[in-house]
Amino acid sequence: GSTCSALLLFISIMTMFMSGVVAIFEYDLKKIIALSTLSQLGMMMFSISLGLYELAFFHLLTHALFKALLFLCAGVLIHGAGNTQDIRSFGGLSLNFPLVTVCMNLANLSLCGVPFLAGFYSKDLIVELACQYSWGIFVLLMMFICLSLTVLYSVRLTYLSFVGSYGGGTSISVCESDYSLVGPVVILSFTSLVSGPILSWLNFPAPVLIFLPAFLKWGALFF
């Protein structure tokens, strides 16, 4: 039991850490999102190693919704930017894809665990309950570092795709008028807004009580 848990804990934290570091140096749009999925799977395994099975499943559900949204937005961007996946040839796409920009940023913020979006409800609960377990300072520190890596690669992706100057890629077509592309994106954006509280009400019949010192309570939000 405890040996398996410790092994799973170690592997999951290393998975979160390595995938986060690699995602920061990656330029392929789809690979960044795939690596981000890997780091969230690490988060679920981390939750399982602490014995929080229901929470891992809850995170799986919320993560599925906003990660599907991220992949769909990536598909629209790749299709609109002349089938290139290299984010160095993107830049300033918010002018051509205002709707997809909003939806993708919503999914990214949800992934980072910004309060009251879907990802916050599952991720914050895992982090705070992990802080209650006495695994030692190293595990907590690594967990917080992995959280900050998630934010780093998300911000980098957003900056290079939507904010930075245009990278001189191939011609950009405006494909937001195609409802078969944008329709599912809008529907999934709605779920990544409201699915967190709804799923938490369905999953957990009683509220979870967490006692933490103030610096740990603020730690998750800070990172």
Side-chain angles (χ1 to χ4, degrees):
S2 62
T3 316
C4 284
S5 291
L7 187 66
L8 187 58
L9 182 82
F10 176 73
I11 293 172
S12 64
I13 281 191
M14 284 298 113
T15 305
M16 284 157 70
F17 182 71
M18 290 300 293
S19 53
V21 169
V22 175
I24 287 177
F25 295 101
E26 183 57 65
Y27 284 105
D28 187 319
L29 179 61
K30 288 206 295 196
K31 276 187 188 172
I32 292 174
I33 300 178
L35 285 163
S36 139
T37 308
L38 187 59
S39 90
Q40 295 309 304
L41 284 170
M43 190 81 181
M44 291 165 211
M45 289 297 138
F46 176 69
S47 177
I48 288 174
S49 73
L50 298 177
L52 308 168
Y53 311 112
E54 293 94 348
L55 264 185
F57 183 63
F58 176 40
H59 189 52
L60 177 80
L61 294 179
T62 54
H63 172 252
L65 290 166
F66 59 76
K67 192 46 68 76
L69 172 61
L70 263 178
F71 269 116
L72 280 178
C73 291
V76 175
L77 292 183
I78 290 169
H79 176 63
N83 300 330
T84 176
Q85 287 175 215
D86 194 330
I87 57 174
R88 284 171 291 196
S89 62
F90 289 178
L93 289 185
S94 53
L95 300 171
N96 295 21
F97 302 96
L99 185 64
V100 172
T101 303
V102 170
C103 296
M104 191 156 174
N105 284 331
L106 193 69
N108 259 334
L109 290 173
S110 188
L111 172 70
C112 295
V114 167
F116 310 116
L117 293 178
F120 168 76
Y121 285 87
S122 54
K123 210 170 178 179
D124 203 64
L125 210 49
I126 291 174
V127 170
E128 291 190 353
L129 284 174
C131 289
Q132 277 194 327
Y133 284 74
S134 52
W135 278 101
I137 193 74
F138 173 72
V139 170
L140 284 186
L141 198 61
M142 284 299 290
M143 179 183 70
F144 281 129
I145 287 171
C146 295
L147 286 182
S148 53
L149 286 176
T150 304
V151 177
L152 275 174
Y153 64 67
S154 299
V155 169
R156 172 177 173 269
L157 175 64
T158 301
Y159 180 78
L160 285 176
S161 301
F162 302 119
V163 183
S165 55
Y166 177 54
T170 44
S171 60
I172 291 184
S173 66
V174 180
C175 51
E176 285 205 347
S177 53
D178 187 349
Y179 293 117
S180 63
L181 276 178
V182 184
V185 168
V186 173
I187 294 167
L188 273 172
S189 307
F190 184 66
T191 62
S192 70
L193 273 175
V194 299
S195 66
I198 290 173
L199 284 172
S200 69
W201 291 328
L202 289 174
N203 269 348
F204 309 115
V208 185
L209 188 61
I210 300 170
F211 284 106
L212 284 178
F215 72 96
L216 276 181
K217 190 78 177 166
W218 283 104
L221 282 176
F222 174 73
F223 277 97

